Amino acid sequence: MKRISILERQIFDFLGYQWAPILTNFVHIITVILGLFGTVQFRPRYVTGYAVWLVLWVTWNIFIICFYLEVGDLSKDSDLIMTFNMSMHRSWWMENGPGCRVTPVTPPPSWAPEDHRYISIAGCLLEYQYVEVAHSSLQILLALVGFIYACYVVKLISEEEDSFDFIGGFDSYGYQGPQKTSHLQLQPMYMSK
């Protein structure tokens, strides 16, 4: 579910040319793969790294929610944050949201770039910023579930590693291997050329 959700989000961010979310989603996909690898291969460092990333992921999604709801000085109309000031694109959902009707405005204003179309959007059942907030909220819920799961897996792996003594057997059962007493004393051996 988590992989499907992030892939869906990545696709729509690509369609909207929003570079900051694209890069963050890409790092998230790689981290999810490493977390799954760590779980399958019993590597607690990978799973711990995944859990740490999830904290950053929740922080990013809280920022996205605040950005689209324009909390504080954040503005969803800013080009710098989401597109690194490289394009005039916005969320894909702005034009393609549920029930949205896009109509071109003619003639375009004099300040509009010639290679872009100037449009009017009306009739949306759900404004695009709320779709983005819903996506981020879903990611936060999935991240919280993933964080709890990651902590549980790290605990299980750590307990499993601590319960086995690789040299003497199982220490928890008080098993002591047979003690050999030897009257031979080990001496270093020197090789002559």
Side-chain angles (χ1 to χ4, degrees):
M1 172 72 174
K2 186 166 187 59
R3 286 180 288 173
I4 292 170
S5 174
I6 191 61
L7 287 175
E8 175 264 341
R9 186 173 181 179
Q10 182 77 337
I11 289 167
F12 288 115
D13 286 341
F14 262 117
L15 291 173
Y17 297 101
Q18 295 185 325
W19 299 113
I22 288 169
L23 293 173
T24 309
N25 292 342
F26 178 74
V27 171
H28 184 65
I29 290 169
I30 297 299
T31 309
V32 168
I33 291 169
L34 288 174
L36 289 172
F37 176 77
T39 301
V40 171
Q41 294 293 320
F42 300 104
R43 306 220 184 232
R45 287 185 183 173
Y46 287 9
V47 181
T48 302
Y50 171 69
V52 169
W53 169 254
L54 286 178
V55 172
L56 297 173
W57 183 246
V58 166
T59 305
W60 168 255
N61 281 288
I62 289 171
F63 167 75
I64 293 294
I65 290 171
C66 293
F67 177 77
Y68 279 109
L69 294 179
E70 296 185 327
V71 174
D73 289 336
L74 295 172
S75 172
K76 65 182 178 277
D77 296 325
S78 169
D79 289 331
L80 180 62
I81 295 175
M82 290 301 181
T83 64
F84 299 133
N85 217 16
M86 293 173 26
S87 71
M88 294 179 60
H89 293 281
R90 301 283 186 265
S91 171
W92 183 83
W93 295 103
M94 179 183 263
E95 296 178 31
N96 301 294
C100 292
R101 288 186 319 274
V102 177
T103 54
V105 174
T106 54
S110 59
W111 54 265
E114 290 181 23
D115 60 342
H116 286 79
R117 62 187 181 133
Y118 192 71
I119 58 173
S120 171
I121 303 167
C124 296
L125 298 175
L126 189 62
E127 295 292 326
Y128 76 97
Q129 63 264 26
Y130 301 121
V131 175
E132 295 286 355
V133 167
H135 273 128
S136 290
S137 300
L138 175 64
Q139 291 298 317
I140 289 172
L141 289 174
L142 292 173
L144 292 175
V145 170
F147 183 80
I148 292 169
Y149 175 73
C151 291
Y152 176 71
V153 168
V154 168
K155 178 181 175 282
L156 285 179
I157 292 173
S158 298
E159 284 178 358
E160 191 172 296
E161 286 177 355
D162 292 342
S163 67
F164 185 75
D165 180 12
F166 293 97
I167 296 173
F170 291 98
D171 283 340
S172 60
Y173 296 110
Y175 175 77
Q176 296 294 326
Q179 299 294 325
K180 292 184 180 180
T181 56
S182 174
H183 59 281
L184 297 175
Q185 186 177 16
L186 298 175
Q187 298 290 326
M189 190 166 114
Y190 299 101
M191 303 288 287
S192 64
K193 291 184 181 183

